[in-house]
């Protein structure tokens, strides 16, 4: 799944480069990815202008005049800009080609060449794209996760505390639950817990008020810093910038020099520093007793 900072960077780039353009071509290479809730296929988009692109949970919705295309990239889906004629990638699922923008915003001549392609690539073929009537994607998986937007004003410390109160699971499982928070993935859940000094296996109900306040500040700080950093690097939209992360996929803690550990939390690997994020209940493996 793309993480929020990646998705917001993609969204900015898509808006800059293809918003307002008219579809000139389309190709579907992996029909398994594309689901149509209207009769037809991507050719229905030909001649339509792309009015806007918006994010809804971990999906992007492309609003063409009269039809919407909602894309949920799942685990491995990614977008890429290409020039028409460029060789197809092995992972190419579908492509939408756009006419060059006209100076006065008028509709381009249908015979005019397409000069830019938006490609959707998916190595795992797990992503899903839905072509729907306007607004008809609201009930589709991955578009209405229901969690509180962690970048919004609604995400206050008190809101987080009240969410945590009702949870019987471990804090890392809570952080990546899209029904609770919109949204953190594996990478930023690790970063947030490191920043807050919390062990990933801490049960939510064992968190003190201070812990929760620290967690809230960490979510806010880590995510805003990451969004700025990803935007500043301004890499192509198929590149995930992750080299500035502190614990995820790291070996040595940048704060104390201890060896970073990996632990399974609900079948997913969590990276953490055993010294900076000590376990809080008996029964945990005490990593602090192992060699640095
Ligand atoms: Zn450490």
């Amino acid at each position: 799944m793309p993480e929020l900072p990646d998705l917001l960077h993609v969204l900015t780039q898509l808006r800059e480069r293809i918003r307002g353009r008219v579809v000139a071509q389309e190709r579907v290479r992996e029909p398994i990815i594309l689901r149509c809730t209207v009769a037809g296929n991507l050719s229905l988009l030909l001649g339509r202008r792309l009015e806007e692109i918006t994010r809804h949970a971990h999906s992007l919705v492309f609003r063409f005049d009269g039809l919407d295309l909602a894309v949920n990239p799942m685990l491995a889906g990614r977008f890429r800009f290409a020039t028409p004629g460029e060789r197809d990638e092995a992972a190419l699922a579908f492509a939408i080609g756009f006419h060059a923008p006209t100076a006065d915003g008028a509709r381009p001549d249908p015979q005019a060449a397409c000069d830019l392609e938006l490609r959707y690539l998916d190595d795992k073929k797990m992503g899903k794209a839905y072509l729907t009537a306007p607004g008809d994607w609201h009930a589709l998986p991955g578009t209405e996760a229901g969690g509180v937007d962690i970048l919004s004003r609604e995400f206050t410390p008190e809101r987080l505390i009240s969410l945590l109160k009702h949870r019987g699971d471990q804090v890392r499982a809570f952080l990546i639950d899209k029904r609770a928070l919109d949204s953190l993935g594996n990478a930023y859940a690790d970063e947030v817990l490191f920043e807050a000094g919390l062990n990933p296996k801490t049960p939510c109900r064992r968190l003190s008020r201070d812990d929760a306040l620290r967690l809230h500040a960490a979510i806010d700080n880590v995510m805003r810093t990451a969004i700025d950093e990803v935007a500043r690097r301004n890499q192509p939209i198929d590149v995930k910038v992750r080299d500035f992360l502190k614990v995820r996929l790291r070996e040595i803690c940048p704060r104390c020099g201890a060896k970073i550990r990996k632990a399974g939390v609900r079948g997913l690997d969590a990276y953490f520093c055993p010294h900076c994020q000590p376990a809080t209940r008996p029964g945990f493996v005490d990593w602090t007793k192992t060699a640095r």
Side-chain angles (χ1 to χ4, degrees):
M1 190 196 93
E3 296 264 3
L4 194 53
D6 308 319
L7 209 49
L8 293 178
H9 174 60
V10 170
L11 187 58
T12 307
Q13 292 297 309
L14 291 172
R15 283 180 173 153
E16 273 178 22
R17 297 196 60 183
I18 53 173
R19 182 165 56 181
R21 288 188 176 219
V22 172
V23 177
Q25 295 176 358
E26 55 83 26
R27 278 180 301 146
V28 179
R29 268 252 310 252
E30 291 292 350
I32 193 169
I33 304 278
L34 180 70
R35 290 121 199 261
C36 295
T37 70
V38 286
N41 57 44
L42 276 194
S43 65
L44 293 173
L45 295 180
L46 294 174
R48 291 181 197 261
R49 187 182 300 279
L50 175 58
E51 308 283 4
E52 184 54 287
I53 309 131
T54 49
R55 180 186 77 88
H56 300 269
H58 32 294
S59 292
L60 292 181
V61 175
F62 296 79
R63 206 182 72 219
F64 294 89
D65 52 354
L67 281 175
D68 286 352
L69 179 70
V71 184
N72 178 357
M74 301 289 288
L75 216 54
R78 62 195 197 279
F79 294 98
R80 191 177 161 256
F81 288 119
T83 40
E86 222 178 282
R87 220 176 79 177
D88 283 359
E89 301 82 353
L92 179 68
F94 63 83
I96 302 172
F98 292 89
H99 286 294
T102 49
D104 53 1
R107 226 156 249 285
D109 171 2
Q111 303 305 320
C114 135
D115 77 331
L116 178 66
E117 249 186 13
L118 176 67
R119 296 183 175 183
Y120 174 75
L121 316 174
D122 198 329
D123 298 291
K124 303 228 182 281
K125 298 191 179 66
M126 283 171 67
K128 291 173 185 62
Y130 300 90
L131 189 64
T132 74
D136 257 6
W137 42 263
H138 281 283
L140 297 172
T143 56
E144 291 281 290
V148 55
D149 181 347
I150 54 175
L151 302 176
S152 70
R153 283 160 181 268
E154 285 73 53
F155 183 60
T156 59
E158 292 311 318
R159 181 75 179 269
L160 179 66
I161 288 167
S162 90
L163 284 169
L164 285 166
K165 250 182 218 157
H166 306 290
R167 303 291 296 210
D169 52 357
Q170 297 172 342
V171 63
R172 191 177 185 284
F174 160 75
L175 287 179
I176 61 171
D177 181 356
K178 311 291 177 278
R179 292 164 303 179
L181 302 177
D182 173 16
S183 63
L184 293 163
N186 284 312
Y188 286 104
D190 285 350
E191 296 298 300
V192 161
L193 290 170
F194 176 72
E195 171 100 356
L198 294 171
N199 188 279
K201 292 200 171 198
T202 314
C204 291
R205 71 171 89 86
R206 292 280 303 270
L207 295 174
S208 66
R209 187 178 167 80
D210 275 359
D211 290 337
L213 293 175
R214 235 172 37 250
L215 184 60
H216 182 272
I219 292 172
D220 198 60
N221 186 30
V222 165
M223 296 314 281
R224 289 184 196 281
T225 304
I227 287 165
D228 288 350
E229 184 63 19
V230 171
R232 192 181 67 77
R233 300 279 193 96
N234 198 19
Q235 291 297 301
I237 55 175
D238 56 323
V239 174
K240 281 184 196 167
V241 184
R242 293 284 157 85
D243 57 358
F244 62 91
L245 299 185
K246 292 175 180 159
V247 279
R248 184 76 188 168
L249 305 175
R250 294 274 169 261
E251 292 189 349
I252 301 295
C253 173
R255 196 176 291 153
C256 74
K259 194 170 182 321
I260 298 289
R261 300 287 173 174
K262 250 195 320 185
V265 178
R266 270 200 356 201
L268 297 164
D269 278 342
Y271 287 72
F272 68 102
C273 170
H275 286 265
C276 299
Q277 300 166 262
T280 53
R281 61 173 180 174
F284 284 161
V285 176
D286 187 354
W287 296 111
T288 60
K289 300 237 162 63
T290 62
R292 278 197 177 191

